[in-house]
Amino acid sequence: MLSIRNLHASVEGRPILKGLTLEVKAGEVHAIMGPNGAGKSTLAAVLAGKEGYEVTEGEILFEGQNLLDLEPEERSHAGLFLAFQYPVEIPGVSMIQFLRAALNAHRAAQGAEPLDTAELMALLKEKAALLKLDPSFLSRSVNEGFSGGERKRAEIFQMAVLDPKLVILDETDSGLDIDALKIVSDAVNALRAPKRAFIIITHYHRILQYIRPDVVHILADGRVVHSGGPELALQLEEKGYEPFLTPA
Amino acid sequence: MQMLTQEKLSLEAGAQHLTHLLRSQATGVGLPPSLRDHWLKWVDRADLSTLFTAQHLKEDWKYTPMEFLRHPWELGTLTASSPSFPPEGELPLIQPVESFEDLPALHSLPTPSSPWEALLGASTTYQHYQIREAGQLLLTSSNETGVLPHFVSISIAPHSQAEIWLAPHTGGFLLLRLHIHVGEGASARLYYTTDLPTRNGYLYGILSAEVEKEGQLESYDLTISAPWKRTEFKVRLTGPGASVHLHGASRIAPGEVVDQAIRIEHAAPHTESNQLFKSLVYAEGRSAFQGRIYVHREGQKTNAYQSHKALLWEPSAVAYSRPQLEIFADDVRCTHGVTTGFLQGEMLLYLRSRGIPEETARHMLAGAFLAEVVEKIPHERLRAGLYARMGFSS
Ligand SMILES: Nc1ncnc2c1ncn2[C@@H]1O[C@H](COP(=O)(O)OP(=O)(O)O)[C@@H](O)[C@H]1O
Ligand SMILES: [Mg+2]
């Protein structure tokens, strides 16, 4: 589904990703762990198509397409979804307005008619319930005044609404209390499917107890330095990153 | 454009020409005889050439293009426009009054602070309104060509409720002088909408208000399109408990100019003022904002807030913001904030990363920027109509 080969990327001329290789197949859940500043969010930003992140070498194939040729919205239409580490507030745009535009753009890309208001509201309410979000939150501006936990849940809610193929969660677990973590994990687990893949970027072993990964990678200094099974997360928790920082 | 077919004057010669033209029309017939001589003296002294010589006037017009002065204006005639947003609702529609000797609005006219204001104080076409208990009125002053000075006074009786719909239109140069007197415990709401999708047309409004004890004034200056619009708004809070809330949402289309000069005077204790202005400026457009809060020695316990935010759509868009505080009382709370900037890439990426095409996303963000003000409009049909006329969905 996703194949990243020897990816090098710079921000403001400074190399951050330095030859990252990663292969994710449909149905799999990958965890990416690594120290602060390793380049995890940079990888997410490059995948989403954020401006200012320059790919200097390597390639990213998403379902056989060159991802880097696509605009951010086209990546979304193709089935990519990034849950942001720091979702931005957009005052003046309501969640409904936002998701109507997003869903209808997805539908247009597939040649489908826009949803009518009743269908839209039914879908949004169903998915909001999945994340235990009060329906009143749909009338609020995107992320405005949301608590940390609400913001993260709102990201997963959007994921559930847009039904993507590949989901990247960038530290979605940070700042979540145990109840919110459970809600988020349940929603992710409910969406696990043979056709869908997840990349979970995290610092902590905790979320991986709820969402069991197939593969765990350690990202350090812009590269995947070590990969293993779910037990790797536990070892990291005990020993820290230090023993793994020499490439395997 | 009609102007191009005529020879242009120098700015100074144009100012002189316009001074003479306005003076020749200033008869004072619409003023009570007891005030007439007083105002005609101001007219005699007024000279638009001082715009180029008097320091405070130069400051005041620093960011405002004055090309219109180069036009050899002739006098226009007053007609009525058909407004995009006609008033509606429960309140009875008020007609102008014939007898104006004792109208509080005329007796509370502020001393002119500019030659424009002086020339207009004894202008040529008058309308006076008086609201008792409750009423709304519709002002659709309009002139197709030429320069037209127009004077409107509105007196709102104590404990009355008024809604004022100001929807002028011009294809020439419309000089509108509006003064509102808000009596004790009365409340007034002003909707000033401008929807002039023409290439020419200069709209200059000098608005003022005096708000007495426990009176309330609320205004919404809403610009959908205006080639050149300047609004001066001077409000004096003269009794304890008086308050004013000014809102402005300007969509400044490519090449347009919207200029706002606000002055709030807190002249009594326990008064409150609030200014919330937003300007969305497209390519080559210009927003100029001056907001002055003046707290008199008597203005203890004043609460004053002011904010102007400009969103520049292109590097060629320009916004000037100048907040000014002059405070002569010691126990006051005044805050002001100015922000000017471009669209945030983070917001745009967020929307796009959910599949929303770039153009749609930009458009949503433009509408969202003005929404902070538009959503405060207590009139639902106006709110929806405004979004529609601006091309934003709500
Ligand atoms: N927009 C940016 N501008 C400048 N430096 C950046 C930017 N984004 C990331 N970096 C730098 O890139 C490095 C990797 O950051 P990041 O990808 O956020 O790390 P992680 O998510 O693994 O903690 C850090 O040194 C960070 O300072
Ligand atoms: Mg990060």
Side-chain angles (χ1 to χ4, degrees):
Chain A
M1 174 172 280
L2 179 74
S3 138
I4 303 176
R5 289 185 205 136
N6 189 32
L7 183 67
H8 290 252
S10 306
V11 181
E12 290 166 359
R14 201 178 120 212
I16 308 289
L17 299 181
K18 303 169 183 169
L20 186 143
T21 295
L22 183 69
E23 187 78 34
V24 179
K25 296 205 176 65
E28 292 180 343
V29 175
H30 289 237
I32 296 182
M33 305 182 77
N36 266 328
K40 303 183 296 295
S41 291
T42 301
L43 172 63
V46 170
L47 290 172
K50 190 170 177 179
E51 256 174 55
Y53 290 72
E54 199 199 344
V55 173
T56 51
E57 216 184 311
E59 63 172 5
I60 307 176
L61 295 178
F62 179 51
E63 303 230 290
Q65 282 188 91
N66 184 355
L67 191 76
L68 299 174
D69 283 347
L70 303 180
E71 296 292 333
E73 54 268 39
E74 295 170 329
R75 298 178 190 201
S76 170
H77 301 158
L80 186 83
F81 183 94
L82 167 64
F84 287 89
Q85 182 174 3
Y86 304 108
V88 63
E89 292 191 7
I90 311 186
V93 176
S94 73
M95 287 299 293
I96 295 179
Q97 192 191 353
F98 165 53
L99 286 169
R100 175 189 283 132
L103 265 172
N104 287 338
H106 276 251
R107 293 175 67 88
Q110 293 151 11
E113 292 293 308
L115 286 179
D116 69 33
T117 302
E119 292 168 321
L120 174 76
M121 291 314 294
L123 176 66
L124 297 186
K125 282 184 181 151
E126 179 205 325
K127 302 301 182 190
L130 189 66
L131 272 303
K132 301 201 166 53
L133 286 162
D134 191 280
S136 69
F137 120 104
L138 294 171
S139 311
R140 292 169 65 185
S141 288
V142 176
N143 298 324
E144 192 187 27
F146 287 17
S147 69
E150 277 177 324
R151 251 177 230 216
K152 297 301 178 78
R153 270 193 284 162
E155 292 290 291
I156 303 306
F157 161 71
Q158 293 171 39
M159 172 194 82
V161 168
L162 294 174
D163 194 21
K165 290 180 187 152
L166 174 65
V167 177
I168 302 142
L169 305 180
D170 190 0
E171 294 203 27
T172 299
D173 53 334
S174 304
L176 287 188
D177 62 28
I178 201 78
D179 293 335
L181 184 66
K182 185 107 179 40
I183 292 169
V184 162
S185 307
D186 286 349
V188 169
N189 285 327
L191 284 162
R192 282 182 80 155
K195 283 189 185 157
R196 210 187 316 263
F198 291 85
I199 298 174
I200 300 174
I201 295 173
T202 182
H203 269 300
Y204 307 104
H205 174 238
R206 200 175 61 151
I207 190 173
L208 303 177
Q209 292 176 307
Y210 293 95
I211 310 171
R212 206 171 157 74
D214 300 299
V215 192
V216 176
H217 307 276
I218 299 171
L219 183 67
D221 195 23
R223 266 181 295 252
V224 173
V225 293
H226 199 92
S227 301
E231 71 287 349
L232 184 55
L234 208 62
Q235 290 171 20
L236 278 176
E237 191 92 338
E238 286 161 7
K239 302 182 193 161
Y241 290 112
E242 207 50 47
F244 299 97
L245 294 187
T246 36
Chain B
M1 200 153 102
Q2 179 203 0
M3 279 179 59
L4 297 177
T5 62
Q6 288 173 357
E7 204 173 319
K8 298 228 176 177
L9 305 171
S10 70
L11 287 176
E12 287 77 4
Q16 272 169 17
H17 168 76
L18 198 55
T19 304
H20 290 145
L21 193 66
L22 293 174
R23 263 192 209 153
S24 73
Q25 293 305 310
T27 58
V29 289
L31 292 173
S34 56
L35 293 176
R36 201 170 291 161
D37 288 348
H38 172 70
W39 274 94
L40 288 172
K41 274 197 196 104
W42 282 109
V43 171
D44 282 343
R45 274 185 246 147
D47 179 0
L48 294 174
S49 305
T50 55
L51 292 173
F52 310 106
T53 51
Q55 192 53 39
H56 73 283
L57 292 173
K58 286 203 293 196
E59 277 288 304
D60 234 32
W61 285 79
K62 196 165 166 185
Y63 301 112
T64 315
M66 289 212 272
E67 278 301 298
F68 64 92
L69 278 176
R70 295 161 50 84
H71 185 67
W73 293 105
E74 287 168 17
L75 221 56
T77 42
L78 181 66
T79 55
S81 70
S82 43
S84 307
F85 307 104
E88 48 184 70
E90 309 288 294
L91 301 176
L93 206 59
I94 303 294
Q95 299 302 324
V97 294
E98 298 295 327
S99 152
F100 44 78
E101 176 56 41
D102 298 319
L103 290 178
L106 294 175
H107 291 275
S108 70
L109 268 180
T111 305
S113 57
S114 76
W116 297 106
E117 204 180 326
L119 285 165
L120 285 173
S123 162
T124 173
T125 48
Y126 295 87
Q127 282 170 347
H128 302 298
Y129 294 85
Q130 188 166 30
I131 292 169
R132 297 178 188 282
E133 292 182 16
Q136 59 182 335
L137 57 94
L138 170 63
L139 301 167
T140 56
S141 330
S142 164
N143 62 321
E144 288 317 308
T145 57
V147 63
L148 183 77
H150 184 42
F151 183 108
V152 178
S153 85
I154 302 169
S155 302
I156 301 162
H159 308 289
S160 304
Q161 185 196 347
E163 211 166 85
I164 302 157
W165 296 74
L166 178 58
H169 188 280
T170 185
F173 182 18
L174 179 60
L175 271 151
L176 187 69
R177 177 75 186 92
L178 173 70
H179 180 64
I180 306 171
H181 181 266
V182 181
E184 183 175 328
S187 64
R189 195 175 274 160
L190 169 67
Y191 296 118
Y192 180 11
T193 55
T194 309
D195 193 0
L196 288 177
T198 59
R199 277 292 96 214
N200 46 354
Y202 299 91
L203 180 58
Y204 182 10
I206 301 178
L207 318 183
S208 58
E210 179 150 326
V211 185
E212 298 220 9
K213 182 179 168 188
E214 280 161 20
Q216 295 174 19
L217 173 66
E218 197 179 308
S219 88
Y220 299 85
D221 182 352
L222 308 166
T223 304
I224 296 159
S225 181
W228 186 98
K229 175 179 175 182
R230 176 174 166 105
T231 309
E232 294 170 12
F233 205 164
K234 298 201 289 187
V235 180
R236 256 173 76 85
L237 302 170
T238 56
S243 69
V244 59
H245 291 250
L246 303 182
H247 307 82
S250 310
R251 174 185 172 276
I252 306 178
E256 297 189 341
V257 177
V258 171
D259 174 5
Q260 293 160 311
I262 316 282
R263 180 188 167 96
I264 310 278
E265 276 186 58
H266 292 264
H270 295 283
T271 55
E272 182 186 310
S273 70
N274 206 314
Q275 304 171 47
L276 179 62
F277 285 81
K278 289 193 124 178
S279 309
L280 167 63
V281 196
Y282 289 99
E284 315 277 333
R286 179 184 294 219
S287 155
F289 180 88
Q290 303 175 57
R292 185 183 297 240
I293 298 170
Y294 189 103
V295 183
H296 289 250
R297 230 187 307 275
E298 296 77 24
Q300 296 296 2
K301 304 282 182 196
T302 281
N303 221 325
Y305 173 81
Q306 179 196 93
S307 155
H308 179 240
K309 295 179 189 158
L311 175 59
L312 306 177
W313 207 247
E314 305 263 349
S316 63
V318 178
Y320 302 98
S321 290
R322 202 158 58 121
Q324 288 166 298
L325 300 178
E326 286 178 75
I327 302 173
F328 298 95
D330 48 25
D331 186 10
V332 301
R333 269 183 52 195
C334 291
T335 47
H336 64 86
V338 164
T339 60
T340 298
F342 295 98
L343 196 65
Q344 279 183 37
E346 295 264 324
M347 291 188 188
L348 195 58
L349 177 75
Y350 192 83
L351 297 179
R352 294 179 71 191
S353 76
R354 299 306 183 235
I356 301 174
E358 178 168 5
E359 273 316 298
T360 312
R362 285 183 177 274
H363 200 66
M364 283 173 80
L365 292 173
F369 173 75
L370 292 180
E372 187 189 351
V373 175
V374 176
E375 289 299 316
K376 293 218 156 41
I377 299 173
H379 196 287
E380 197 183 323
R381 288 277 293 274
L382 175 58
R383 227 167 34 226
L386 202 68
Y387 281 128
R389 287 290 304 149
M390 287 183 172
F392 302 124
S393 59
S394 49

